[in-house]
Amino acid sequence: MDTDGSNRPEPLPSSAQLSWEGHPRTLIAGVSGLLGHALTRVFPGAFSFWFDVTDLGACRAALGSIRPEVVINAAAYTTVDQAEAEPEAAHAVNEQGAKNLALACRDIGAGLVHLSTDYVFDGLADRPYLESDPPRPLSVYGQSKLAGERAVRKILPKALIVRASWLFGPGKTNFVKKMLDRARAGEPLRVVNDQRGCPTFSLDLAAAIRSLIQGGHQGLFHVAGSGEATWFDLTRAALEAAGLDPARVEPIKATGLDLPARRPAYSVLDCRRYEAATGRTMPPWSESLAAYVRGLV
Ligand SMILES: NC(=O)c1ccc[n+]([C@@H]2O[C@H](COP(=O)([O-])OP(=O)(O)OC[C@H]3O[C@@H](n4cnc5c(N)ncnc54)[C@H](OP(=O)(O)O)[C@@H]3O)[C@@H](O)[C@H]2O)c1
């Protein structure tokens, strides 16, 4: 079982570490995050140490010492509500940080895989979002992530940009873990039932990123767990998988929480481009959730 908590690994700016055998020499930024943790498991031998992506000099130093062929940017400012109060901090990481990594990649001829989000959409669609659908973020977080995508594309038109959604997985606390902890503590569970998206297992996403890299794919891809759910559905399924009573979960409207950031009511991602490119489909979120929860209990 994985521990939860975000232990920052010691910096390892050494090119002595073995490369990901048989695959491109890979550097992961944002290694202490939820996705970063999954990437370190799916990309064994990849270089992964913390450096500040908001500092162009630090990015250049990290890439200059490792000389990766591929950099995966899983570093991000992800506290969606807090971002409303500190847009500069969100843009520093999600826009400037993305730009810095793209510039540092361009310097050494490395490819960049950049992560983005379903929150670039306004949620007004009545069918799953395609990569070609116009983004219109509702929050500072979404705006900063979209600005990051655009900065990356401008500097590295061939970058691989992956929009993911609603992550859960080992290594760091996340929505599912929080709901299970609250359930076990006997706390009330009032959960939003009017926002619909695609819960995604971080290890499934990391494996999908590996497939895209192995296939040499470029451009924008939506990658999310198969199926869709509301946060209420996801919570009920998590409790069920943990052997707890799902009837304890009470559905509420998002307005009932009065959170600072607006979120899309509907942000289901259409992953057909990913499927066509790789010949793979993402596992159903409900199956991956059950496997994840089994590992937690
Ligand atoms: N979580 C989701 O539900 C979700 C949904 C859709 C898309 N995404 C996207 O997926 C990607 C990964 O998200 P995640 O959930 O893994 O995020 P996360 O758990 O919040 O991790 C973010 C990582 O970024 C690092 N970071 C923050 N500021 C940094 C800086 N200035 N320099 C270097 N590293 C920095 C953090 O390190 P410290 O902990 O040391 O600060 C952490 O390792 C992001 O691009 C996110 O926008 C996430």
Side-chain angles (χ1 to χ4, degrees), residues 8 32-35 50-53 75-76 78 141 145 167 172:
R8 179 179 298 173
S32 55
L34 186 55
L35 178 61
W50 199 92
F51 58 95
D52 185 359
V53 297
T78 56
Y141 167 73
K145 292 296 297 181
L167 292 185
K172 186 171 179 178

Side-chain angles (χ1 to χ4, degrees), residues 6-8 29-37 39 49-55 73-79 89 92-94 97 114-119 141 145 162-168 172-174 200 202 205 231 269:
S6 56
N7 295 328
R8 179 179 298 173
V31 69
S32 55
L34 186 55
L35 178 61
H37 182 269
L39 290 167
F49 59 92
W50 199 92
F51 58 95
D52 185 359
V53 297
T54 68
D55 178 345
N73 180 20
Y77 177 112
T78 56
T79 41
V93 182
N94 294 344
H114 178 68
L115 269 294
S116 190
T117 173
D118 55 330
Y119 281 11
Y141 167 73
K145 292 296 297 181
V162 176
R163 287 190 188 136
S165 72
W166 296 29
L167 292 185
F168 62 89
K172 186 171 179 178
T173 197
N174 60 80
T200 305
S202 55
L205 174 60
W231 296 107
L269 296 178

Side-chain angles (χ1 to χ4, degrees), residues 50-256:
W50 199 92
F51 58 95
D52 185 359
V53 297
T54 68
D55 178 345
L56 178 57
C59 293
R60 287 193 160 132
L63 271 64
S65 68
I66 300 297
R67 307 294 297 185
E69 292 159 86
V70 176
V71 176
I72 308 177
N73 180 20
Y77 177 112
T78 56
T79 41
V80 176
D81 289 309
Q82 205 174 313
E84 297 297 313
E86 44 181 49
E88 299 82 11
H91 278 269
V93 182
N94 294 344
E95 181 179 8
Q96 190 62 42
K99 185 176 175 184
N100 289 343
L101 276 176
L103 288 169
C105 283
R106 193 176 64 183
D107 285 351
I108 62 163
L112 177 62
V113 182
H114 178 68
L115 269 294
S116 190
T117 173
D118 55 330
Y119 281 11
V120 298
F121 293 116
D122 63 11
L124 298 178
D126 54 6
R127 49 133 183 92
Y129 280 99
L130 293 162
E131 290 83 353
S132 53
D133 285 325
R136 195 180 75 90
L138 302 176
S139 63
V140 168
Y141 167 73
Q143 285 157 9
S144 68
K145 292 296 297 181
L146 181 60
E149 286 184 16
R150 288 178 172 160
V152 164
R153 209 173 301 127
K154 200 167 163 188
I155 297 160
L156 291 175
K158 292 183 175 174
L160 175 60
I161 299 178
V162 176
R163 287 190 188 136
S165 72
W166 296 29
L167 292 185
F168 62 89
K172 186 171 179 178
T173 197
N174 60 80
F175 176 82
V176 169
K177 173 94 172 47
K178 281 183 198 158
M179 290 300 118
L180 290 174
D181 288 348
R182 276 192 212 167
R184 291 202 185 92
E187 291 173 23
L189 288 167
R190 301 171 66 242
V191 185
V192 170
N193 198 28
D194 58 356
Q195 288 169 357
R196 183 165 287 278
C198 304
T200 305
F201 188 35
S202 55
L203 287 161
D204 291 340
L205 174 60
I209 291 169
R210 189 177 56 192
S211 298
L212 285 166
I213 293 173
Q214 284 172 333
H217 298 290
Q218 302 170 349
L220 181 59
F221 286 87
H222 288 174
V223 180
S226 292
E228 52 182 74
T230 66
W231 296 107
F232 169 75
D233 299 332
L234 176 57
T235 307
R236 277 181 60 96
L239 261 66
E240 222 163 345
L244 300 166
D245 179 11
R248 292 183 44 195
V249 190
E250 184 194 334
I252 60 166
K253 287 189 184 307
T255 47

